[in-house]
Amino acid sequence: MRLSEETLQEVSQRFGKEMEKGLGADTNPTASVKMLPTFVRSTPDGTEDGDFLALDLGGTNFRVLRVKVSDNGLQKVEMENQIYAIPEELMRGSGVQLFDHIAECLANFMDKLKIKDKKLPLGFTFSFPCHQTKLDESILVTWTKGFKCSSVEGKDVVSMLRKSIKKRGDFDIDIVAVVNDTVGTMMTCGYDDHNCEVGLIVGTGTNACYMEEMRHIDLVEGDEGRMCINMEWGAFGDDGVLNDIRTEFDREIDMGSLNPGKQLFEKMISGMYMGELVRLILVKMAKEGLLFGGRYVSAIEKEKEGLQKAHEILTKLGLEPSHEDCVATHRICQIVSTRSANLCGATLAAVLRRIKENKGVDRLRSTVGVDGSVYKKHPHFARRLHKTVRKLLPDCEIRFVRSEDGSGKGAAMVTAVAYRLAAQHKARQKILEALKLSHEQLLEVKQRMRVEMEKGLGKETHAEAAVKMLPTYVCSTPDGTEKGDFLALDLGGTNFRVLLVRVRNGMRRGVEMHNKIYSIPVEIMQGTGEELFDHIVHCISDFLEYMGMKGVSLPLGFTFSFPCQQNNLDEGILLKWTKGFKATGCEGEDVVNLLKEAIHRREEFDLDVVAVVNDTVGTMMTCGYEDPYCEVGLIVGTGSNACYMEEMRNVELVEGEEGRMCVNMEWGAFGDNGCLDDIRTEFDVAVDELSLNPGKQRFEKMISGMYLGEIVRNILMDFTKRGLLFRGRISERLKTRGIFETKFLSQIESDCLALLQVRSILQHLGLETTCDDSIIVKEVCTVVARRAAQLCGAGMAAVVDKIRENRGLDFLKVTVGVDGTLYKLHPHFSTVMHETVKQLSPKCEVTFLQSEDGSGKGAALITAVACRIREAGSNPIS
């Protein structure tokens, strides 16, 4: 019976394997440790509030409790309860009689407290093996503990209780949850200690439960969050895995029990069998003449009076024990109970080791809630159990908390938590409702975009149009005959690139590129225009030196991704800075001139600036080099914009009717005239008001990367203020604008990321979160990103349908060249956007082509096209 540390480690490892089996869909049917899902997904966080009833049925008595939980910062629990007996004949009668009796007792209890008129939520502790399918649905597998009521096995005990209550008709309650006593224990302790994620019972029987990651629970749909697993660990060993450590005494006990071959682990450790083990050992020793001259006994263990007690008991049993007999009996008791505590510690260590691995931490701090007479009343059991766990898990800090009244109060706690979660969920959904757009709303957005496009194109309406529809003077896409060396500049955000692009035609058709990235410090972004362009020219000079090309004069294409009015391909007048740029003396000026002046100031080299283009146009051109159907460019990154090939006859700002011209829509400003106010939410308004350009670029602020994180942060703030998240505590970090970078949105929503990583992202942001918090944050990210993708899709649908109607086609096949971090890196954005375009423009077959390096390569290609056309002796690209 003495187990070495190696043996205990081995038992612990085996139990870990049994847990795996119980959790797996394929292995569960044959697993002895059943690992039953309880549908309890959350432990208390201390903000629970309300008045609850609890019912505790697990033996010959049952209790009804009223539990008042209040959270006025003090976390108070008040309880009143009454014990009712279950007569013998009811334990063996029909199920209907049993539940009628329970309903009767409930009515009696509510009468006494004068609460029959209230419809209170009730939690039901039902400590028999059950198969649970929902939090409030539990199917009895088999009766145990002497119960034998007919026609209950295989039925849902909650609906039986509901029927009995309904039949009476004198009160109504809301049965919210049915739980097992181990779960009750975990929940009770969890109210006082938020680290509590394991429940353990060692009394007449034994069992344990713990919080498992949903992704490991094959038997329940969904991978998000955690769920409490009722292990039913008493059955460990029923498949023979403990045969090598079971003794002849264990076998004898099992043979003589009510359920031979079942609950073999429980029979080695729980209170119901310990005394019997001692008796069997004494019988054997007596038979072999080692004790009492062959007569036998049962005994007890307590250090101080242990021998005295042993003497008393043995004498009472009609034996005449010698001093040696008493010492031996005392020792046998010690050995039996030590083994019990050691085995219990070994399996508990396996559970804690699993939690530690699930969390991916080096050191686990966790709490185990414990109940049961053996743990509480035996003088040394608890100490020995703790010692075993510490020995087997030296890298964990485990606290053991004794549950005061676990099963009853626990059921009320489960109910309180379920109520809190449901109320919070409802409140959150109501807030998020405003961000969920219907098909009708999206169609409406598409139609309004079309109206705004017409306004921007019209000569009379252009001046006050929000969507500017700027002519780009790019009139043709590449045809594949372009060739030569070109420089390209790409300025569109905090980084700036200089590129050398070699375009080849013929057999070796293709594009070879070299580039270098330079950053633009904030003080230059927000300084003077001269400083900005001097910095740019300094970077060009550095690049030419780096490429060994100082002194070569090359044609240059300039990607300048800000709203410009173009009167020629090589002239771009900056209308207004966006994306955080504020350099003075630039708005209203021709950026090509500003660049040329800076080049002359430096007096090092000369360049031929052929074209100034917007990054959307660059993207369209790059994709157009690969795919001749590409006639639309789209960017969804830090900012958002689109361009497309419009018929010259519709571009009223430019002379001429023939052919087409690419129009830079500047669609980020869609809605600046108030036409989207009905779908903007309070969160959009808050983000807009605190931005660098209030009232401007409203569409962009609903869909682009620069702002989505801020929208999410504002929603999280709102949730937290209402106590729906982070336990209502707003951290300083959460109040900080801009902490929620858009890359976090992409990471948080990535399907392969477990919530564990979501938590670590949130912790990195200084937000202490629970598992539930992580799920909520993920949901908010999903809703915000989905809306962005749908709005973007609605805008795109307006564009492709306009091209189709321009050409009088019933059906249009078109390609959209796309660039931008949000589109490329977000796991769902592109999919949702594509679906939206398909739904809103059924007569168009739209292909989306990701641009590889659109803005830089695009500027060079436009320059190449311009040079090809110039050499052919005609006008700018036409």
Side-chain angles (χ1 to χ4, degrees):
M1 287 227 166
R2 291 194 185 90
L3 305 173
S4 67
E5 199 177 321
E6 290 73 40
T7 307
L8 292 174
Q9 274 293 9
E10 172 63 26
V11 170
S12 193
Q13 299 296 338
R14 284 182 204 174
F15 187 66
K17 288 198 180 104
E18 293 297 311
M19 287 168 73
E20 287 278 344
K21 267 192 214 168
L23 289 169
D26 305 334
T27 43
N28 175 277
T30 56
S32 49
V33 179
K34 279 298 176 206
M35 305 294 281
L36 306 170
T38 63
F39 295 84
V40 170
R41 295 166 190 267
S42 183
T43 50
D45 71 356
T47 63
E48 287 70 23
D49 205 4
D51 209 346
F52 304 95
L53 288 171
L55 209 56
D56 180 7
L57 175 64
T60 44
N61 287 335
F62 82 98
R63 287 189 310 156
V64 183
L65 305 89
R66 179 202 197 171
V67 182
K68 267 189 174 150
V69 187
S70 56
D71 165 47
N72 34 21
L74 299 169
Q75 281 197 30
K76 239 173 59 205
V77 180
E78 303 164 53
M79 298 204 301
E80 301 164 81
N81 74 72
Q82 170 102 31
I83 293 181
Y84 295 93
I86 297 180
E88 187 84 15
E89 65 274 12
L90 278 181
M91 287 170 68
R92 291 182 169 60
S94 78
V96 175
Q97 288 170 318
L98 175 69
F99 285 101
D100 285 352
H101 174 67
I102 294 173
E104 169 77 33
C105 300
L106 228 119
N108 167 280
F109 180 76
M110 290 171 84
D111 258 341
K112 270 192 194 153
L113 295 183
K114 307 203 172 15
I115 50 174
K116 252 191 174 170
D117 52 333
K118 292 187 182 174
K119 182 175 179 176
L120 293 182
L122 174 132
F124 184 12
T125 304
F126 187 73
S127 307
F128 299 92
C130 282
H131 168 61
Q132 219 160 336
T133 39
K134 296 209 278 272
L135 186 59
D136 63 347
E137 184 173 273
S138 194
I139 287 138
L140 176 66
V141 179
T142 49
W143 281 118
T144 52
K145 311 182 202 175
F147 275 77
K148 280 273 191 306
C149 300
S150 61
S151 58
V152 183
E153 292 181 344
K155 293 225 177 80
D156 168 27
V157 294
V158 176
S159 59
M160 292 191 77
L161 178 58
R162 280 187 184 135
K163 271 185 199 139
S164 293
I165 292 169
K166 201 170 170 189
K167 195 160 60 183
R168 296 178 57 87
D170 59 342
F171 68 95
D172 191 14
I173 51 172
D174 178 12
I175 305 176
V176 174
V178 53
V179 299
N180 178 290
D181 52 356
T182 32
V183 182
T185 298
M186 177 186 81
M187 293 299 263
T188 302
C189 298
Y191 185 69
D192 301 312
D193 180 336
H194 300 324
N195 277 331
C196 183
E197 45 196 347
V198 182
L200 167 67
I201 291 198
V202 198
T204 324
T206 179
N207 192 10
C209 69
Y210 73 104
M211 295 302 287
E212 174 59 89
E213 300 289 321
M214 277 292 289
R215 64 179 189 276
H216 297 318
I217 308 173
D218 288 357
L219 303 172
V220 182
E221 281 294 298
D223 288 333
E224 304 278 87
R226 305 200 297 167
M227 183 182 283
C228 178
I229 291 287
N230 162 21
M231 301 172 67
E232 291 294 341
W233 81 4
F236 176 36
D238 288 8
D239 55 358
V241 293
L242 294 179
N243 287 352
D244 54 340
I245 62 164
R246 288 175 69 232
T247 62
E248 54 182 293
F249 309 112
D250 296 307
R251 292 197 177 80
E252 199 172 334
I253 276 196
D254 180 43
M255 296 310 287
S257 68
L258 285 169
N259 52 352
K262 299 264 185 285
Q263 301 292 97
L264 297 184
F265 183 62
E266 179 168 82
K267 287 172 187 163
M268 294 168 83
I269 67 175
S270 79
M272 190 161 167
Y273 304 98
M274 260 194 242
E276 192 52 13
L277 275 170
V278 171
R279 188 182 69 78
L280 290 172
I281 296 170
L282 290 177
V283 168
K284 173 151 174 138
M285 289 186 167
K287 276 191 185 147
E288 302 196 357
L290 302 172
L291 286 176
F292 324 119
R295 286 159 308 174
Y296 66 138
V297 76
S298 153
I300 202 101
E301 175 189 2
K302 251 197 186 138
E303 284 306 334
K304 298 241 167 57
E305 350 62 289
L307 292 179
Q308 186 52 43
K309 259 291 191 311
H311 193 274
E312 271 171 44
I313 288 168
L314 296 172
T315 310
K316 260 197 200 131
L317 290 169
L319 300 158
E320 294 136 34
S322 65
H323 177 64
E324 285 75 16
D325 290 343
C326 295
V327 171
T329 305
H330 182 224
R331 187 77 195 99
I332 290 164
C333 291
Q334 261 181 351
I335 289 169
V336 167
S337 72
T338 301
R339 180 184 75 153
S340 168
N342 283 343
L343 285 171
C344 192
T347 46
L348 187 58
V351 176
L352 292 162
R353 190 180 308 112
R354 185 168 174 90
I355 292 175
K356 177 172 176 284
E357 283 164 11
N358 281 346
K359 289 190 174 175
V361 290
D362 296 329
R363 200 170 174 76
L364 176 69
R365 291 186 53 202
S366 192
T367 300
V368 180
V370 202
D371 205 344
S373 47
V374 173
Y375 183 88
K376 287 181 164 176
K377 299 202 170 113
H378 189 286
H380 309 300
F381 185 92
R383 188 178 47 82
R384 288 175 189 152
L385 171 71
H386 303 170
K387 194 173 155 192
T388 305
V389 171
R390 269 200 304 276
K391 245 200 286 197
L392 297 179
L393 290 179
D395 50 357
C396 296
E397 289 169 53
I398 307 300
R399 199 173 154 228
F400 289 83
V401 175
R402 287 165 63 141
S403 140
E404 298 314 322
D405 186 47
S407 41
K409 183 168 152 191
M413 274 306 152
V414 174
T415 308
V417 170
Y419 246 60
R420 166 175 66 80
L421 291 176
Q424 290 175 334
H425 178 73
K426 200 169 158 187
R428 285 192 303 267
Q429 290 313 314
K430 197 174 164 201
I431 296 167
L432 291 177
E433 208 44 54
L435 290 126
K436 294 179 178 172
L437 302 174
S438 66
H439 180 72
E440 289 65 42
Q441 284 174 302
L442 291 169
L443 260 176
E444 185 58 37
V445 171
K446 173 190 168 183
Q447 272 141 7
R448 289 178 198 174
M449 175 68 93
R450 175 63 181 264
V451 170
E452 297 299 313
M453 285 167 75
E454 304 283 1
K455 277 189 204 164
L457 287 168
K459 208 169 193 161
E460 306 298 314
T461 45
H462 176 82
E464 80 272 13
V467 179
K468 282 295 176 207
M469 305 295 283
L470 306 168
T472 65
Y473 292 84
V474 170
C475 300
S476 76
T477 47
D479 67 1
T481 65
E482 295 75 16
K483 64 176 193 294
D485 287 4
F486 307 94
L487 266 185
L489 298 187
D490 179 9
L491 174 65
T494 44
N495 287 337
F496 152 72
R497 287 190 311 158
V498 187
L499 306 93
L500 172 67
V501 183
R502 295 202 155 112
V503 183
R504 302 262 165 75
N505 64 3
M507 293 294 287
R508 298 171 51 208
R509 176 176 183 264
V511 178
E512 177 196 322
M513 296 200 302
H514 304 272
N515 73 69
K516 207 166 169 190
I517 295 181
Y518 301 90
S519 71
I520 299 179
V522 172
E523 58 274 17
I524 289 183
M525 280 167 71
Q526 302 183 357
T528 69
E530 282 201 356
E531 287 168 339
L532 175 63
F533 281 92
D534 284 345
H535 176 71
I536 291 171
V537 172
H538 167 75
C539 297
I540 298 174
S541 167
D542 173 86
F543 179 75
L544 289 172
E545 199 163 314
Y546 165 75
M547 293 299 294
M549 295 181 71
K550 267 281 164 71
V552 181
S553 178
L554 291 174
L556 177 137
F558 184 10
T559 301
F560 185 73
S561 309
F562 300 92
C564 283
Q565 185 199 328
Q566 282 186 265
N567 301 322
N568 263 310
L569 185 61
D570 62 354
E571 176 188 329
I573 289 154
L574 175 64
L575 296 176
K576 57 175 180 189
W577 282 119
T578 53
K579 304 182 217 180
F581 275 74
K582 279 235 164 117
T584 55
C586 297
E587 292 184 352
E589 297 295 323
D590 173 13
V591 292
V592 176
N593 264 342
L594 294 174
L595 178 63
K596 282 181 173 163
E597 282 165 13
I599 292 173
H600 293 145
R601 276 199 296 275
R602 200 174 170 93
E603 292 183 338
E604 263 186 34
F605 50 84
D606 200 22
L607 296 168
D608 170 20
V609 184
V610 175
V612 56
V613 299
N614 181 283
D615 52 354
T616 33
V617 184
T619 297
M620 180 186 80
M621 290 301 260
T622 304
C623 295
Y625 190 70
E626 309 295 329
D627 177 345
Y629 282 105
C630 182
E631 301 189 69
V632 185
L634 167 67
I635 293 211
V636 203
T638 323
S640 177
N641 192 10
C643 69
Y644 71 102
M645 297 303 286
E646 178 56 270
E647 306 301 311
M648 275 297 286
R649 64 175 188 273
N650 296 334
V651 185
E652 294 184 7
L653 299 178
V654 181
E655 287 298 302
E657 300 287 303
E658 287 307 303
R660 297 180 182 145
M661 182 184 282
C662 178
V663 169
N664 163 19
M665 296 175 66
E666 288 298 335
W667 83 2
F670 177 37
D672 288 5
N673 56 3
C675 70
L676 292 177
D677 287 0
D678 55 339
I679 62 165
R680 286 174 77 228
T681 64
E682 54 181 298
F683 309 111
D684 296 304
V685 173
V687 168
D688 179 39
E689 281 172 356
L690 287 172
S691 65
L692 286 168
N693 52 351
K696 301 265 185 286
Q697 301 292 96
R698 289 182 177 175
F699 187 57
E700 177 169 84
K701 283 172 188 162
M702 295 168 84
I703 65 180
S704 80
M706 188 163 169
Y707 305 98
L708 294 189
E710 263 310 276
I711 298 176
V712 167
R713 189 184 67 82
N714 275 286
I715 297 173
L716 299 184
M717 288 267 291
D718 185 64
F719 279 6
T720 311
K721 281 180 189 151
R722 297 171 192 257
L724 306 173
L725 184 66
F726 302 139
R727 298 185 187 165
R729 297 185 203 129
I730 296 192
S731 65
E732 281 310 309
R733 288 285 290 171
L734 193 58
K735 289 184 195 156
T736 315
R737 285 190 53 227
I739 55 158
F740 227 93
E741 296 169 55
T742 305
K743 66 170 186 206
F744 290 142
L745 293 196
S746 295
Q747 289 170 355
I748 284 172
E749 276 200 75
S750 159
D751 292 330
C752 51
L753 262 204
L755 283 165
L756 207 60
Q757 280 118 315
V758 176
R759 273 178 90 166
S760 70
I761 290 171
L762 294 174
Q763 273 157 358
H764 168 77
L765 294 177
L767 304 171
E768 270 309 308
T769 67
T770 63
C771 190
D772 295 333
D773 290 337
S774 309
I775 296 177
I776 294 163
V777 171
K778 190 167 175 177
E779 184 188 9
V780 172
C781 291
T782 303
V783 169
V784 170
R786 183 176 174 79
R787 182 186 70 155
Q790 287 176 323
L791 286 171
C792 190
M796 197 32 70
V799 174
V800 294
D801 260 334
K802 179 152 187 2
I803 296 175
R804 182 179 65 76
E805 288 170 28
N806 282 345
R807 300 181 189 174
L809 300 171
D810 292 331
F811 187 77
L812 171 75
K813 183 170 158 42
V814 67
T815 298
V816 178
V818 201
D819 204 347
T821 43
L822 188 62
Y823 181 88
K824 286 182 165 174
L825 301 180
H826 192 282
H828 309 301
F829 188 94
S830 57
T831 319
V832 174
M833 187 186 97
H834 300 169
E835 278 168 9
T836 309
V837 175
K838 207 171 182 169
Q839 282 163 1
L840 301 179
S841 296
K843 293 182 177 173
C844 299
E845 182 191 316
V846 186
T847 308
F848 290 86
L849 184 60
Q850 273 199 36
S851 136
E852 295 315 317
D853 187 50
S855 39
K857 189 167 152 185
L861 283 168
I862 289 168
T863 308
V865 172
C867 291
R868 161 175 67 95
I869 288 167
R870 199 160 54 180
E871 279 158 22
S874 54
N875 287 330
I877 307 190
S878 50

